Amino acid sequence: MSHVSAMPTYQFSVMEYHKLGEAGIFGEDDRVELLNGDIILMAPIGIRHIKAVRRFSKILHRFFGERCIVDAQNPVMIDGLSEPQPDLLLLSQAADLRDSAPLPEDVLLLAEVADTSLVYDQTDKRAAYARNGIVEYWILDLTLNVLHVFRDTDGHAYRTELTVRPGESIAPLAFADTPIALSDLLP
């Protein structure tokens, strides 16, 4: 009987990840992202996910577009080993002044739309976002038609977790005066 031991893996930095892209290792349409030094292959995007991101983006633009930057499916550099590409971001205006991807201090709200990626979004991504000071993280769960809300990071985990159900609304912490109905986000 043979025993397979876990061998160390190589962790890519954000700079190395960018060099791989510049060298043509990844095509423009390849669905990959860097999280915790690992290059993650993302599943193809389904039609329900596409519609949910579009709808969510329209709502964020309508409610917050004059007060902050609304960004969709672009990277955020959360540390030297992670540059995920969340579905939606609300960013402070300072993000436009950078010569890099936005940083955690620029993020007012980070949101993922999840169907096949739900476990990854609720575990690896949530831990990375909390650890790096993303103040508010939402997961629009298309499997249960609920919104998972994570807030109040202590630098390791989110201390506040809420579930918004159909018929309920919630406002981002940065814009507490502007609630969004879950029904407006679901496709």
Side-chain angles (χ1 to χ4, degrees), residues 11-88:
Q11 291 205 313
F12 291 92
S13 71
V14 171
M15 284 182 55
E16 291 167 326
Y17 175 67
H18 282 253
K19 286 180 183 176
L20 291 173
E22 291 165 10
I25 303 296
F26 308 119
E28 198 170 298
D29 295 329
D30 287 344
R31 295 207 10 92
V32 295
E33 68 181 8
L34 183 68
L35 191 72
N36 302 321
D38 296 322
I39 297 172
I40 308 296
L41 301 175
M42 305 299 291
I45 298 173
I47 191 66
R48 191 155 188 252
H49 185 279
I50 291 168
K51 287 182 177 183
V53 170
R54 282 185 193 147
R55 188 174 186 132
F56 205 151
S57 180
K58 283 181 189 178
I59 294 294
L60 294 180
H61 276 283
R62 182 172 8 141
F63 289 163
F64 311 113
E66 297 292 320
R67 302 192 270 176
C68 66
I69 299 166
V70 179
D71 207 358
Q73 298 180 324
N74 284 318
V76 58
M77 188 169 30
I78 60 172
D79 62 26
L81 298 174
S82 299
E83 193 177 66
Q85 295 181 31
D87 288 313
L88 295 151

Side-chain angles (χ1 to χ4, degrees), residues 112-125:
E112 298 283 3
V113 174
D115 43 14
T116 59
S117 65
L118 184 60
V119 171
Y120 174 58
D121 293 337
Q122 288 181 322
T123 56
D124 297 348
K125 279 192 170 180

Side-chain angles (χ1 to χ4, degrees), residues 47-64 70 88 90 109-114 136-142 145-149 164-172 178-187:
I47 191 66
R48 191 155 188 252
H49 185 279
I50 291 168
K51 287 182 177 183
V53 170
R54 282 185 193 147
R55 188 174 186 132
F56 205 151
S57 180
K58 283 181 189 178
I59 294 294
L60 294 180
H61 276 283
R62 182 172 8 141
F63 289 163
F64 311 113
V70 179
L88 295 151
L90 291 183
L109 172 68
L110 187 151
E112 298 283 3
V113 174
E136 186 165 19
Y137 174 42
W138 291 7
I139 302 172
L140 182 59
D141 180 346
L142 298 180
N145 291 326
V146 298
L147 181 68
H148 304 284
V149 176
V164 180
R165 301 185 188 292
E168 297 177 346
S169 298
I170 191 160
T178 311
I180 301 171
L182 175 59
S183 60
D184 289 341
L185 300 177
L186 292 169

